[in-house]
Amino acid sequence: MMSSPIRVLVVDDEPSIRNSLLEFLEDCQFAVSAADSAESALELIEHTPIDVAIVDIRLPKLDGDSFILQAHQRSPRMRFMIHTGSVEYKLPDELKGFGVTHDCVFLKPQMDLSVFETAIRKMMDAGE
């Protein structure tokens, strides 16, 4: 039986990062969507099922943490990875409460994009 591809959402306001992740993850056979803001990402998940979202924390207007909280309320099965340029980033307790761990946080620039593929597959295997 062919299983359907894992559906990944990349939320990043920086086009070069968003596009390189998008292309890399498509090459890994994931079904990838992208959004350049938390607002457009929330709109997208209203009508597109997503398994894993890779979220930049510093976004215009609504930040990544707030996006994750709202997205989790709308889609409790969705899993999250954080991709941030902030070395001081502290994982909020609300996010830890539904399974976002320090293993889910990746610092920019991430030179080896395969860490995302590995983490996504591990997350999805754990959830089955």
Side-chain angles (χ1 to χ4, degrees):
M1 176 180 110
M2 266 282 291
S3 62
S4 58
I6 296 170
R7 297 159 305 200
V8 180
L9 170 61
V10 176
V11 186
D12 200 307
D13 59 326
E14 229 169 293
S16 61
I17 292 176
R18 189 173 63 245
N19 293 332
S20 66
L21 261 175
L22 183 77
E23 289 168 17
F24 174 79
L25 294 169
E26 281 177 343
D27 288 346
C28 298
Q29 309 306 306
F30 296 124
V32 191
S33 308
D36 61 1
S37 70
E39 292 79 2
S40 58
L42 285 170
E43 219 166 275
L44 189 134
I45 64 172
E46 287 297 319
H47 47 80
T48 307
I50 297 294
D51 298 307
V52 179
I54 301 173
V55 185
D56 181 16
I57 292 304
R58 291 193 197 139
L59 292 165
K61 295 195 227 128
L62 193 66
D63 70 16
D65 287 340
S66 306
F67 163 76
I68 291 172
L69 287 169
Q70 291 188 31
H72 175 70
Q73 288 170 337
R74 294 173 191 200
S75 181
R77 296 177 55 98
M78 195 188 306
R79 296 173 184 83
F80 301 94
M81 289 155 69
I82 292 164
H83 192 212
T84 180
S86 167
V87 284
E88 294 86 44
Y89 177 72
K90 295 272 182 280
L91 196 58
D93 289 338
E94 303 94 65
L95 301 193
K96 291 181 193 165
F98 53 82
V100 182
T101 65
H102 291 287
D103 293 346
C104 305
V105 179
F106 298 90
L107 284 180
K108 292 178 186 177
Q110 186 58 248
M111 294 305 163
D112 180 8
L113 294 181
S114 68
V115 297
F116 290 105
E117 179 187 12
T118 305
I120 290 167
R121 294 195 189 282
K122 199 185 286 181
M123 272 181 180
M124 295 308 293
D125 289 346
E128 309 224 278

